[in-house]
Amino acid sequence: MIRNQWYAVLESREVKTGRPVGVTRMGEKLVFWRTADGQVVCMSDICPHIGAPLHKGKVKQDRLTCPFHGFEFDQGGQCQRVPALGTAAAIPRALRTRVYPTHETHDLIFIFWGEADQPPTPPRFFESIGEDFSYASFRQHWPVHYSRMAENQLDVAHLPFIHASTIGRGGRMVVDGPLVKPDGEDGFSLWVYNRLDDGTPARRAEDLPEPERHPFLQFRFGNIWHNWISDDIRVFIAFVPVDEENTLMYGRYYQRVVRLPLLRELFNLAGKLGSIVIANQDRRIVSGQLPKKSVLKKSGEKILPGDGGILYYRQRRYELKRAAGQEE
Ligand code: FES
Ligand SMILES: [Fe+2]
């Protein structure tokens, strides 16, 4: 996982006021809780005293109290009270738990996974999904590294195979391009030109005309993705890393075709179920990919021009990891 990036890690509704939630994300035991004014706090779930799970404690006056010996931690992770020392005692500065900056938008909780000297610039959600969209969400566990789950959604050559019965119907196997372009420092966009085999060779991305329409796919680091199915229908996914071998797909079917309550919910439900069928088709194969994690160098994999989305993702991951001082 790339350090110093924002990651969507939970849906807002999963963290309720007064009820700390313990989860594994980014390979770490983390606890999420809310202050009285609703701010989400993310901290290590391992009490720095002797390691009790903090999420089993209670929130009182904007402090999370450890269930074991009652140490109280403020939203900055600093211990403010050690009952056994008495109220008059000074609390050592070192008695603190790690916290990650959080940001909440579009009913998602993001954490900045890394070292932030100053508050980092908030993550960008997809601007074209406005308030007029409604959505239904789903969550799926995949036994994969999140990079494989992300790459699968940037892979346009698999559509007529894995999804022959759904979105890949019609046998458009020849992959012209795809065209991939950066979208700021933190993302990129992809245009798809799959077609039937008419005897002409697949065209390279550099031979394709400048796109006139919106991109088909957008990715933003660390882990969010958006499929622009039409102006009024979108699929959103956050590839949420649990650990090196497990990932949660937080998916959403967004639409603004049907706006009447009830009908809207039915429409969203149908869209969500369809998205789950498609995700299951992917999961069946991606779960078996080896090695578990994708890398740019030394992978030994034979990347073709049609894998342009995968390649671009790997290159940017590589650069961002290097910038964060990490090995690939
Ligand atoms: S383990 Fe948390 S206060 Fe002792
Ligand atoms: Fe797929």
Side-chain angles (χ1 to χ4, degrees):
M1 296 158 231
I2 314 167
R3 291 201 70 82
N4 302 336
Q5 300 286 318
W6 285 101
Y7 292 85
V9 289
L10 286 166
E11 288 215 87
S12 293
R13 62 186 166 83
E14 293 181 277
V15 184
K16 303 199 167 54
T17 305
R19 250 194 278 163
V21 181
V23 289
T24 304
R25 295 288 186 270
M26 321 305 296
E28 297 180 23
K29 296 275 184 206
L30 299 173
V31 52
F32 290 80
W33 54 279
R34 287 186 190 275
T35 59
D37 65 358
Q39 291 286 325
V40 184
V41 181
C42 168
M43 52 175 62
S44 166
D45 195 27
I46 304 169
C47 181
H49 179 214
I50 54 169
L54 287 172
H55 77 271
K56 293 198 190 287
K58 289 198 169 33
V59 177
K60 264 192 295 177
Q61 286 163 342
D62 289 353
R63 291 182 185 173
L64 180 59
T65 306
C66 180
F68 212 174
H69 312 96
F71 290 23
E72 294 178 14
F73 299 91
D74 67 17
Q75 55 188 295
Q78 179 62 46
C79 182
Q80 296 289 4
R81 182 163 181 245
V82 176
L85 291 178
T87 347
I91 311 290
R93 284 289 298 161
L95 194 48
R96 52 187 304 117
T97 175
R98 155 169 250 167
V99 292
Y100 290 116
T102 63
H103 182 80
E104 206 165 2
T105 183
H106 290 77
D107 307 332
L108 287 165
I109 296 170
F110 289 75
I111 60 169
F112 186 79
W113 190 66
E115 325 302 330
D117 298 337
Q118 1 182 328
T121 317
R124 288 194 299 156
F125 193 74
F126 300 106
E127 300 79 4
S128 67
I129 303 179
E131 292 289 316
D132 49 348
F133 281 81
S134 64
Y135 69 87
S137 56
F138 62 95
R139 204 177 87 163
Q140 261 195 352
H141 169 252
W142 291 28
V144 303
H145 188 264
Y146 84 107
S147 58
R148 291 288 193 189
M149 190 194 272
E151 285 187 355
N152 173 233
Q153 300 303 333
L154 300 166
D155 176 341
V156 296
H158 81 285
L159 296 169
F161 300 96
I162 283 192
H163 305 300
S165 62
T166 54
I167 48 170
R169 266 193 303 263
R172 289 192 297 278
M173 290 178 194
V174 176
V175 179
D176 285 343
L179 205 55
V180 187
K181 287 176 178 290
D183 163 26
E185 280 290 293
D186 58 342
F188 59 91
S189 301
L190 190 147
W191 287 260
V192 183
Y193 302 93
N194 290 8
R195 63 172 168 88
L196 293 173
D197 191 344
D198 60 3
T200 58
R203 294 202 291 164
R204 296 263 181 163
E206 48 274 27
D207 299 328
L208 294 170
E210 273 300 297
E212 281 166 11
R213 57 190 163 93
H214 58 74
F216 186 61
L217 302 176
Q218 286 179 296
F219 183 88
R220 300 234 164 115
F221 285 95
N223 69 336
I224 60 171
W225 171 99
H226 162 220
N227 181 357
W228 200 316
I229 293 173
S230 74
D231 278 347
D232 299 329
I233 298 180
R234 317 297 177 83
V235 174
F236 165 89
I237 299 175
F239 311 106
V240 177
V242 174
D243 56 29
E244 293 286 330
E245 303 207 339
N246 294 283
T247 303
L248 292 169
M249 174 182 279
Y250 276 69
R252 286 181 182 173
Y253 179 84
Y254 273 101
Q255 62 85 23
R256 60 180 175 190
V257 179
V258 180
R259 302 186 190 211
L260 282 176
L262 213 63
L263 267 187
R264 177 182 68 196
E265 273 69 54
L266 279 175
F267 193 91
N268 293 350
L269 176 67
K272 161 179 132 170
L273 294 176
S275 304
I276 291 173
V277 168
I278 293 160
N280 283 338
Q281 292 179 325
D282 287 316
R283 178 168 61 176
R284 199 178 132 251
I285 301 304
V286 177
S287 299
Q289 262 183 295
L290 289 173
K292 281 273 186 190
K293 185 167 139 184
S294 87
V295 287
L296 178 66
K297 317 241 167 178
K298 300 188 200 141
S299 80
E301 293 173 1
K302 310 291 181 286
I303 299 292
L304 300 173
D307 302 322
I310 294 176
L311 184 61
Y312 193 92
Y313 173 68
R314 286 188 189 182
Q315 282 165 337
R316 277 304 282 151
R317 263 180 69 76
Y318 181 80
E319 289 164 9
L320 292 168
K321 282 197 119 178
R322 290 281 299 258
Q326 291 172 282
E327 294 288 312
E328 187 175 12

